[in-house]
């Protein structure tokens, strides 16, 4: 029970009743049912002790002086008539008065009647033999606002009623300020965490939740009850398992608790860093994990689905740009090749015409006619290539697909058979004609058959009978052309890339990588598509789907 310094007055004239206020915040009430803050009259002063009793109390207190002066707290001993019998060094230093002066004062004179009136009931309980402890904030004019923990203990001789009490005061201001600052920081952190969309949780080393923000619970669809501090990590795993949220490699027939224990152990032992998880609904969650020195895990969860989709869109845009650049290069190449071929082809066409006229009526007439027809078809192919290179519209005329397929096989099939490769043809002839460019479609077929022939010719250990099967059939509203071989096949990882311009699986110098890219261009120009299918027994099957006219 200490106070600020006041002018020294005579014992017959106590200081004016200017009291320090007792604040009952932060540390519990001073007494059950605290008194209002209004000034209250001082209680009647107890009868003074006789001189012998007073002297005996002073002697008893002197035995404790050495110990109490060394105590890390403010200590005073007060008699029944509220006079100070002893104060230790800390008490006097805090009060700012000499010990000798304090021992001449009563509690009312030192701390003021208001605070004394509030503490007197506690002192009476101590004088009756009870130990009373409480704490709270006190405003001191000299020392400011302090948080004090009080303990009132009886001080009696012979086990009878107390003649005095000991007031033990610990100043917990710094500790309380740190606690309040930490509580404010926790409240601020929680407010921040509750306001962000990212998920955050903190897991203690014993695999129990320290905190989890609403963003984390929303992200994984957890109920609010799981966000309570102390929730075992296994409860989160059970919730996910009961929603059918299994990870890759987890056996759904395995007992639930085994899965829970395995997943909790994996989570707690995982190293710090980043990892991605694809949720069943397709969302991609990035987990960033940090481990504190005591083993606590701090985890943040970010939904990066939009970011990944944007990255895929950028990659698709770059790929499309590269494809356009390659197609532009193909166009330039085709234009150059077609121009170079066109001149000698004109000579071949003219000579084949003269040869056909001269061979008329002879055994060579049929062969001469085939040469003439092939030269004319080559001329149409060159014109078609030039049209593609110059981005001119395709010719649109009715095309009999069966005849276009046979035309595409005229030269390539003979070359394949000459290399010992069997060519099988199964063409449906009841397909309705479609509008398109017959020469380009024939060129597409020839390219596919020539590509299959090249794959079979390059086999190190050819099968007993190398073969190419060409089929044309109807599938709903589409005409489906399949060119299959029993060669080495196309690896799954390359089934899209083989249609990229200048991409080739053939040895250097044996392929340009242009053929299949041109096939895709022709198929798309006719509203269709081309792709690779699984081939039973091995090999490669390229499939062209072309839309048929309705009706």
């Amino acid at each position: 029970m200490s106070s600020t310094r006041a002018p020294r007055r005579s014992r017959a004239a106590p200081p004016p009743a200017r009291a320090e206020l007792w604040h009952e915040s932060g540390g519990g009430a001073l007494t059950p049912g605290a008194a209002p803050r209004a000034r209250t009259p001082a209680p009647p002063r107890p009868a003074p002790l006789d001189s012998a009793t007073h002297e005996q109390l002073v002697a008893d207190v002197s035995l404790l002086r050495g110990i109490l002066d060394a105590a890390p707290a403010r200590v005073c001993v007060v008699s029944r008539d509220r006079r100070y019998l002893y104060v230790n060094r800390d008490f006097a230093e805090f009060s700012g008065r000499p010990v000798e002066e304090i021992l001449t004062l009563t509690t009312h004179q030192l701390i003021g009647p208001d605070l004394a009136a509030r503490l007197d009931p506690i002192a009476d309980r101590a004088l009756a033999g009870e130990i009373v402890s409480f704490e709270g904030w006190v405003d001191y004019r000299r020392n400011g606002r302090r948080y004090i923990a009080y303990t009132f203990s009886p001080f009696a001789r012979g086990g009878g009623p107390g003649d005095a009490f000991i007031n033990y005061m610990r100043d917990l201001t710094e500790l309380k300020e740190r606690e309040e600052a930490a509580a404010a920081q926790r409240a601020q952190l929680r407010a921040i965490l509750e306001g962000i969309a990212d998920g955050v949780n903190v897991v203690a080393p014993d695999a129990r939740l320290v905190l989890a923000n609403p963003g984390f619970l929303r992200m994984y669809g957890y109920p609010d009850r799981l966000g309570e501090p102390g929730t075992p990590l296994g409860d989160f795993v059970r919730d996910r398992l009961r929603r059918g949220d299994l990870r890759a490699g987890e056996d759904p027939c395995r007992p639930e608790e085994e899965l829970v224990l395995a997943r909790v152990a994996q989570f707690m032992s995982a190293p710090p860093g980043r990892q991605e998880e694809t949720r069943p609904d397709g969302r991609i969650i990035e987990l960033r994990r940090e481990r504190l020195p005591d083993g606590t895990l701090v985890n943040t969860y970010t939904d990066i689905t939009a970011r990944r989709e944007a990255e895929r869109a950028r990659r698709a845009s770059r790929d499309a740009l590269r494809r356009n650049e390659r197609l532009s290069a193909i166009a330039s190449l085709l234009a150059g090749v077609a121009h170079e071929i066109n001149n000698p082809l004109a000579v071949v066409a003219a000579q084949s015409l003269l040869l056909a006229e001269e061979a008329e009526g002879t055994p060579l007439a049929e062969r001469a006619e085939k040469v003439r027809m092939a030269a004319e078809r080559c001329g149409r192919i060159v014109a078609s290539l030039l049209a593609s290179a110059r981005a001119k519209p395709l010719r649109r005329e009715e095309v009999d697909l069966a005849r276009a397929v046979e035309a595409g096989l005229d030269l390539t099939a003979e070359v394949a058979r000459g290399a010992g490769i069997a060519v099988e043809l199964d063409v449906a002839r009841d397909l309705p004609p479609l509008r398109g460019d017959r020469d380009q479609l024939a060129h597409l077929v020839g390219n596919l058959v020539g590509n299959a022939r090249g794959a079979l010719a390059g086999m190190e250990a050819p099968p007993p009978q190398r073969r190419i099967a060409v089929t044309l059939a109807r599938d709903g509203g589409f005409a489906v052309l399949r060119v299959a071989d029993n060669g080495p096949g196309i690896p799954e990882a390359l089934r899209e890339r083989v249609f990229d311009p200048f991409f080739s699986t053939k040895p250097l110098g044996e392929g340009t990588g242009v053929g299949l890219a041109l096939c895709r261009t022709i198929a798309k120009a006719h509203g269709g598509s081309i792709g690779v299918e699984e081939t039973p027994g091995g090999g490669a099957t390229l499939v062209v789907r072309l839309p048929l006219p309705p009706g």
Side-chain angles (χ1 to χ4, degrees):
M1 299 168 66
S2 58
S3 174
T4 57
R5 181 183 296 274
R8 184 166 184 172
R9 299 175 183 271
S10 66
R11 298 183 62 180
R18 182 174 180 178
E20 297 165 336
L21 297 181
W22 174 261
H23 290 264
E24 298 164 3
S25 62
L30 185 63
T31 61
R37 295 181 181 274
R39 295 174 61 88
T40 57
R45 179 177 295 178
L49 298 176
D50 60 80
S51 60
T53 302
H54 185 273
E55 291 175 2
Q56 182 62 45
L57 286 173
V58 171
D60 291 344
V61 168
S62 65
L63 299 176
L64 302 176
R65 188 180 305 276
I67 298 174
L68 296 179
D69 275 345
R74 296 192 285 277
V75 184
C76 65
V77 181
V78 181
S79 67
R80 180 180 293 276
D81 59 356
R82 304 304 193 263
R83 291 185 178 279
Y84 289 100
L85 303 177
Y86 166 77
V87 295
N88 73 342
R89 185 182 300 109
D90 279 1
F91 187 100
E93 289 177 355
F94 185 80
S95 298
R97 296 177 183 231
V99 173
E100 294 77 10
E101 179 182 345
I102 297 173
L103 296 181
T104 66
L105 302 175
T106 65
T107 58
H108 287 243
Q109 292 171 331
L110 183 62
I111 66 175
D114 286 347
L115 182 55
R118 295 179 181 231
L119 295 178
D120 276 343
I122 310 299
D124 290 338
R125 292 165 60 186
L127 289 168
E130 184 181 352
I131 298 176
V132 185
S133 297
F134 58 94
E135 60 186 54
W137 286 101
V138 180
D139 282 336
Y140 292 102
R141 289 191 298 270
R142 180 176 183 273
N143 298 295
R145 191 168 182 253
R146 311 297 295 177
Y147 191 86
I148 309 299
Y150 285 89
T151 299
F152 282 72
S153 302
F155 185 74
R157 292 174 297 129
D163 297 322
F165 62 87
I166 301 174
N167 187 358
Y168 187 89
M169 293 167 282
R170 289 181 298 131
D171 193 326
L172 305 179
T173 305
E174 293 183 359
L175 175 62
K176 194 65 179 178
E177 287 176 345
R178 287 197 297 269
E179 289 178 354
E180 291 183 349
Q185 289 176 353
R186 286 195 298 270
Q188 183 181 28
L189 175 62
R190 184 168 292 278
I192 293 172
L193 293 179
E194 289 180 355
I196 63 176
D198 284 0
V200 180
N201 66 35
V202 180
V203 181
D206 62 353
R208 289 183 177 272
L209 187 70
V210 176
L211 68 84
N213 74 331
F216 168 71
L217 300 177
R218 286 194 303 268
M219 189 173 291
Y220 285 89
Y222 291 127
D224 292 342
R225 61 178 175 79
L226 291 183
E228 293 295 325
T231 302
L233 198 59
D235 288 358
F236 292 91
V237 180
R238 291 184 191 92
D239 183 83
R240 291 179 66 169
L241 291 175
R242 289 164 189 175
R243 287 184 280 146
D245 189 353
L246 287 170
R247 291 179 176 174
E250 288 183 335
D251 183 2
C253 298
R254 192 177 177 186
E256 181 182 276
E257 285 308 304
E258 289 186 13
L259 291 173
V260 170
L261 292 174
R263 198 180 291 188
V264 169
Q266 181 183 11
F267 184 89
M268 294 302 297
S269 62
R274 298 189 181 194
Q275 66 183 64
E276 292 184 9
E277 175 188 7
T278 301
R279 303 285 297 132
D281 58 5
R283 289 180 300 134
I284 302 173
I285 306 298
E286 181 185 67
L287 164 62
R288 285 167 289 179
R289 178 186 289 106
E290 293 293 338
R291 190 180 299 276
L292 302 183
D294 66 350
T296 299
L297 289 174
V298 180
N299 309 291
T300 57
Y301 303 80
T302 305
D303 189 335
I304 60 171
T305 308
R307 187 197 310 170
R308 289 289 178 264
E309 290 176 350
E311 290 172 357
R312 284 195 290 268
R314 286 195 295 270
R315 285 196 299 269
S317 177
R318 288 196 299 267
D319 291 344
L321 179 61
R322 283 195 292 266
R323 282 196 298 271
N324 288 337
E325 291 173 349
R326 289 176 179 176
L327 289 175
S328 176
I330 288 176
S332 300
L333 175 65
L334 291 179
V337 170
H339 178 74
E340 293 298 325
I341 291 177
N342 207 35
N343 290 332
L345 184 61
V347 175
V348 173
Q351 293 298 322
S352 64
L353 181 61
L354 292 175
L355 181 61
E357 292 176 354
E358 293 177 359
E360 187 174 356
T362 68
L364 296 177
E366 183 178 354
R367 293 186 178 181
E369 180 63 18
K370 285 185 177 182
V371 172
R372 185 189 66 79
M373 291 177 62
E376 289 182 356
R377 188 165 69 83
C378 288
R380 290 193 297 271
I381 291 173
V382 169
S384 176
L385 292 177
L386 284 171
S388 297
R390 295 167 184 166
K392 290 184 178 180
L394 295 175
R395 258 187 327 182
R396 294 294 180 183
E397 59 185 10
E398 286 194 350
V399 177
D400 184 335
L401 277 177
R403 295 186 63 184
V405 169
E406 290 173 343
L409 287 172
D410 275 353
L411 291 179
T412 54
E414 288 299 326
V415 175
R417 292 188 182 103
I421 300 171
V423 179
E424 303 169 0
L425 182 63
D426 182 6
V427 176
R429 299 188 177 277
D430 58 349
L431 299 177
L434 57 81
R435 295 189 62 80
D437 190 316
R438 183 174 65 88
D439 291 327
Q440 284 208 8
L441 290 172
H443 185 56
L444 180 149
V445 174
N447 249 330
L448 294 179
V449 174
N451 197 68
R453 176 181 57 80
L456 290 169
M459 292 180 65
E460 295 180 0
Q465 175 61 61
R466 295 176 297 173
R467 58 182 180 80
I468 300 172
V470 180
T471 62
L472 178 65
R474 181 167 188 163
D475 183 7
F478 290 86
V480 180
L481 170 70
R482 283 184 170 84
V483 178
D485 64 68
N486 60 342
I490 301 174
E492 186 173 354
L494 301 179
R495 289 180 182 176
E496 271 300 312
R497 294 192 63 195
V498 293
F499 299 102
D500 289 346
F502 305 115
F503 178 81
S504 176
T505 59
K506 297 177 181 178
L508 186 64
E510 294 186 14
T512 63
V514 172
L516 290 180
L518 185 58
C519 289
R520 171 173 277 184
T521 301
I522 294 172
K524 285 186 174 181
H526 287 81
S529 63
I530 185 171
V532 180
E533 279 187 357
E534 290 288 344
T535 306
T541 300
L542 284 93
V543 183
V544 180
R545 299 174 64 86
L546 300 172
L548 293 171

